[in-house]
Structures are given as C-alpha cells and as structure tokens.
Amino acid sequence: MEKRKLGFWEIWNMSFGFLGIQMGFALQNANASRILQIFGADVHELSWFWIIAPLMGLIVQPLIGHYSDNTWGRFGRRKPYFLTGALLASIGLILMPQAEIFIAFMPALWVGAGMLMIMDASFNIAMEPFRALVGDNLRADQHTLGFSVQTALIGIGAVVGSWLPYVLNEWFGISNLPTADSAVPENLIYSFIIGALVLIATILVTVITTKEYAPEELAKFRDEKEHLEAMGDEKESKLSDIFTDFTKMPETMRQLSWVQFFSWFGLFGMWVFTTPAIAQHIYGLSVSDTKSPEFQSAGDWVGIIFGVYNFVSAIVAFLLPYIAKQIGRRKTHALSLVLGGIGLISMYFMPNKEALIFSMVLVGFAWASILAMPYAILAGSIHPKKMGVYMGIFNFFIVIPQIINALIGGPLVKYVYGDHAIYALVMSGVSFIIAAFLALKVKDSKDSI
C-alpha cells in the first residue's frame, strides 16, 4: 500500500488554516512593537518584551509535537491541537490592542505584553501540528510541494494581515490616530478583531475538509515501511524522550540548526526594530516620538512593506519546487537567503519610504525559502514516529536565536548603535548571508525531490 497522491486543492485545504494563523501572526509582527511603544515601552526595551514569543515556542512546540505524535481520537491526531491554538490566539488578538480596558488592574503595557504571550503560545500550539501534518499525509515526492503550498498560504495571509490597518484607514476612513477612549488607533483595534475571526474560519476549513491517517493506517504504507526500515525501529516515546531525542538528532538536522539560527536571528531583528528604524531613518522622527501622526503613518507603512515581502513569498513559494529541482534544495535556500540579506542591508541606503519596497521584495525570497526548504529537507531525515516531536525540537533553532537577539538586541541599539534602530536591520541582513553559506554545507539525501 501507498499513501494516496493528493490533488492540489486537497493539499491547499489541508494547509488552509495556515492562512489565518499567518494573518494573525503578521498583525502581531507588524504592530506589536508599535502598540507596546504606544503603551510606553522605550525602543531599547522592545526586544525584552518580544522575548516572550520565542520562550513560548521553546516550551510549547516540543510538548505539542510529542503529544500530537501520541494522540489519536475521534477528532484526529493533529487537528485538535491547531483548533485549540486558534481559539486561544483569537482571544489574544482581540485583547492586545484593547489592553487599556484592564488598566484598573495593571498597566496597559503589562497587559499588552501578557496578550503577546498568549498569542505566541497559541500560534505555536497551532503551527507545529500543521508542519507535522504534511509529513503524515503526503508521500515523500510531495513534501516540497506540500511545504511550498503552506508557504504560499502563509504569504497570502500575511499580506492581508500586514496591509489591513492601512486599508481600513485609507479605503474605509477608519482613523489611525489615538482617540479620547483609546491610545491605540481604531484601525488597529478593528484589524486585530478581523484577524481573530479569519483565523477561526480558516482553521475550521482545514478541520472539516481534511482526513488524517490513523497510526495503524500509516504503519501499512510502503513508503512509511521503507522509511522505518531506513531509520531503524523506534519504541513508543515518553515525554522525557524529548531530551534524549535532542541529543540523537540526525546529522542533517544538526547542520540545518545553524542555518536556522542565523536565519531567525535576522528575522527577529527585522520584526522588532523595523517600526522604530523606519520612523527614525526615513521619517526623521526622534527616538521619543511614539504618538505623533507621523509615527502612526510610519507604523502603517511598515505594515505595507511587510505585506510586500509576504506577497512576494507567496509567489516565490510556487516557484521553489521548480528551482529546487534544477539546482537542488540547498542552493535554492542559500540563494534566497543571500537575496534577503542584501534586501535588509539596502534599507540603510534607501532615500524614501517607497524605495523600501525594493528591499522587501528581496526579503520575500528569503522568507519563502525559510518557511519551506528547511522543513522539506528535514522531513526526509527523521523517523516517521518522531515527526511531531522532531518538528518541535527543530523549533529550538528558531526560538533560541530569537531569545539571544531579544537579550542583546536592545542593549546593542542603545549602547552600540546610539538608539539608531536601522543598524539592527543591517545586522539582520549580515545574519542572513551567514546562514546562506552554512546552507551549502547541509547534507540533503533527496536534493532532487
């Protein structure tokens, strides 16, 4: 027996929930720093608030991976987890920009940071099972397509989420300025509510339309048997096995870990510091200006250019399988990272806000590849019974660099860069280029797939 070869729209529906997840994630990435600054956070403190995000990933994803590997019930194996994550993330999305309603109990800044923690924990609960679902449901020759479709949906959702505040303000006349009732503009509040509703709706599409293979069914498939034979027998896993699995990770996974480290170190710097960098470097605002109309316009423009890199990634995602077939997955990933690095470094030299679009086009190539190629390479190197837990452990190499950047990024901006956040973006570009060289050293046994 073999797994059934899924049609394009079946693969699309299987990952459709990622569109909603990434819409919420994009709203967070483009606007969380802005909201925290509105609530009173200084520029050099932003990375410390953002440390909540990778810490949640470090704790949550391996646990969710382990339990989803060993769960089977009437609702399936992976689906209960990403449905629960979506519901919790929606609560965080709705409440973060409205943190002032809790001001009688604690400062809005701390409530906002708490909602950021809830959102990130919930996004992590939802995302890891989606990655594992591709390995569960697709044949090996469809893995690259499966992760590329996920990347396309991530790009589409992120474009909508990134552009939504700007669209609500420019097209629908919803104010992007503080009101008497709220320091957070109305267009941000409505955007986060819409994001929560879309997140729930798209997750339900996946839950309703996608069938999961039971563990007994997976064991009967020929490609699974061949993979099991190649990887060796594996006993039933325990929670404590997460630590031993970490020490026994495959060589390919170890090599990819360094690529991931520098990739995500760079991404974290971009997400945290783009708003203050653009406000200072392009709009000419002082480091203390966080409430003027110009600052709000800078924040809206960050949403636009973040939407650009996500839009490009959605297109590039469909090209990645073809490019990888021609030059291999390692070279495809390395080339994409170099383009992204050039894009981030070029932001320092851009004369106006419109020119930043070019920078983000290049970043879009890197983002598309970061979301697809490492997972496509990894999926063929790990034991089928450990798909979920290793996908979760792989997340260590996404969150650890973010934690490090969170700890040192703020002091670097304050004491080394003189509060000029643009240099944090240049450092992110350099980090991408280092990751590109490391990608060429990764062993990919199925580089032609």
Side-chain angles (χ1 to χ4, degrees):
M1 292 178 62
E2 287 186 327
K3 291 179 184 175
R4 186 171 62 87
K5 187 171 185 177
L6 299 188
F8 176 82
W9 292 111
E10 290 178 296
I11 297 174
W12 178 273
N13 287 337
M14 184 178 72
S15 294
F16 193 66
F18 240 130
L19 187 152
I21 292 172
Q22 195 60 35
M23 182 176 172
F25 200 52
L27 282 164
Q28 172 189 295
N29 287 342
N31 299 291
S33 287
R34 175 184 177 186
I35 292 171
L36 292 173
Q37 283 187 278
I38 289 171
F39 288 153
D42 292 329
V43 170
H44 66 274
E45 296 174 338
L46 289 175
S47 63
W48 296 340
F49 285 105
W50 274 81
I51 198 173
I52 297 168
L55 279 175
M56 288 299 98
L58 184 67
I59 296 167
V60 170
Q61 286 219 15
L63 292 176
I64 295 301
H66 168 80
Y67 284 115
S68 69
D69 277 345
N70 296 282
T71 295
W72 181 258
R74 59 181 298 188
F75 299 111
R77 188 183 194 185
R78 314 292 183 184
K79 291 191 288 186
Y81 291 94
F82 52 69
L83 180 58
T84 301
L87 291 170
L88 294 173
S90 297
I91 294 171
L93 281 167
I94 292 170
L95 294 182
M96 183 184 184
Q98 302 185 76
E100 289 171 302
I101 64 177
F102 299 99
I103 200 168
F105 304 100
M106 65 180 66
L109 178 59
W110 294 104
V111 177
M115 291 303 109
L116 180 62
M117 179 182 69
I118 290 172
M119 278 192 292
D120 267 293
S122 305
F123 285 140
N124 279 294
I125 291 171
M127 280 192 285
E128 192 283 332
F130 263 111
R131 296 293 191 192
L133 189 61
V134 169
D136 292 344
N137 277 18
L138 296 184
R139 295 161 23 159
D141 60 353
Q142 290 192 300
H143 281 171
T144 301
L145 175 61
F147 288 117
S148 295
V149 168
Q150 279 194 354
T151 301
L153 286 163
I154 286 169
I156 294 167
V159 169
V160 177
S162 298
W163 287 356
L164 190 55
Y166 183 88
V167 168
L168 291 181
N169 175 238
E170 294 292 327
W171 295 4
F172 296 94
I174 299 175
S175 175
N176 71 341
L177 298 176
T179 66
D181 298 323
S182 174
V184 177
E186 287 184 336
N187 67 331
L188 281 186
I189 293 174
Y190 287 125
S191 294
F192 275 63
I193 292 172
I194 293 169
L197 295 175
V198 172
L199 173 56
I200 295 297
T202 55
I203 289 287
L204 287 175
V205 169
T206 293
V207 170
I208 293 169
T209 63
T210 301
K211 177 186 179 296
E212 294 187 77
Y213 291 115
E216 296 77 17
E217 293 177 287
L218 285 172
K220 296 178 182 178
F221 293 128
R222 186 177 66 184
D223 58 341
E224 291 289 312
K225 288 181 178 179
E226 290 173 351
H227 199 175
L228 284 167
E229 290 171 2
M231 303 300 292
D233 193 23
E234 187 67 55
K235 66 183 187 330
E236 200 69 31
S237 63
K238 306 185 298 291
L239 182 59
S240 60
D241 288 343
I242 291 175
F243 302 102
T244 55
D245 290 336
F246 182 86
T247 63
K248 296 177 181 178
M249 72 179 77
E251 179 185 6
T252 297
M253 188 172 174
R254 291 182 186 276
Q255 294 167 335
L256 281 170
S257 69
W258 288 105
V259 180
Q260 292 291 83
F261 181 94
F262 286 100
S263 299
W264 287 88
F265 185 94
L267 286 169
F268 187 84
M270 179 184 75
W271 290 331
V272 173
F273 293 112
T274 295
T275 295
I278 298 310
Q280 298 166 16
H281 195 68
I282 300 297
Y283 283 76
L285 303 180
S286 70
V287 68
S288 61
D289 186 345
T290 61
K291 299 185 185 297
S292 69
E294 290 78 13
F295 180 80
Q296 303 302 339
S297 295
D300 284 348
W301 190 251
V302 169
I304 291 296
I305 62 174
F306 274 22
V308 167
Y309 86 72
N310 282 293
F311 178 77
V312 171
S313 75
I315 297 172
V316 172
F318 289 110
L319 301 176
L320 286 175
Y322 174 79
I323 298 171
K325 191 172 183 179
Q326 303 304 311
I327 66 173
R329 295 191 288 209
R330 291 177 302 170
K331 291 180 180 178
T332 299
H333 194 39
L335 175 61
S336 301
L337 287 167
V338 168
L339 291 175
I342 293 171
L344 286 171
I345 294 169
S346 73
M347 295 176 74
Y348 178 84
F349 302 98
M350 292 306 176
N352 52 54
K353 67 176 187 178
E354 289 78 15
L356 294 172
I357 292 174
F358 170 77
S359 301
M360 287 295 117
V361 168
L362 296 180
V363 171
F365 281 85
W367 181 231
S369 191
I370 288 169
L371 292 173
M373 284 299 130
Y375 296 98
I377 295 170
L378 178 66
S381 70
I382 57 182
H383 199 287
K385 289 184 179 180
K386 296 285 187 178
M387 185 68 70
V389 72
Y390 269 130
M391 285 291 182
I393 290 173
F394 196 51
N395 194 59
F396 287 170
F397 310 114
I398 292 175
V399 299
I400 290 173
Q402 293 183 70
I403 292 170
I404 293 173
N405 198 334
L407 292 173
I408 69 174
L412 282 173
V413 169
K414 184 175 179 64
Y415 298 110
V416 179
Y417 308 148
D419 274 333
H420 295 289
I422 188 67
Y423 293 111
L425 302 187
V426 174
M427 179 61 72
S428 291
V430 172
S431 189
F432 271 21
I433 292 172
I434 294 172
F437 284 107
L438 292 171
L440 295 174
K441 299 181 178 296
V442 174
K443 179 183 177 181
D444 183 6
S445 60
K446 298 182 179 180
D447 215 354
S448 61
I449 291 177

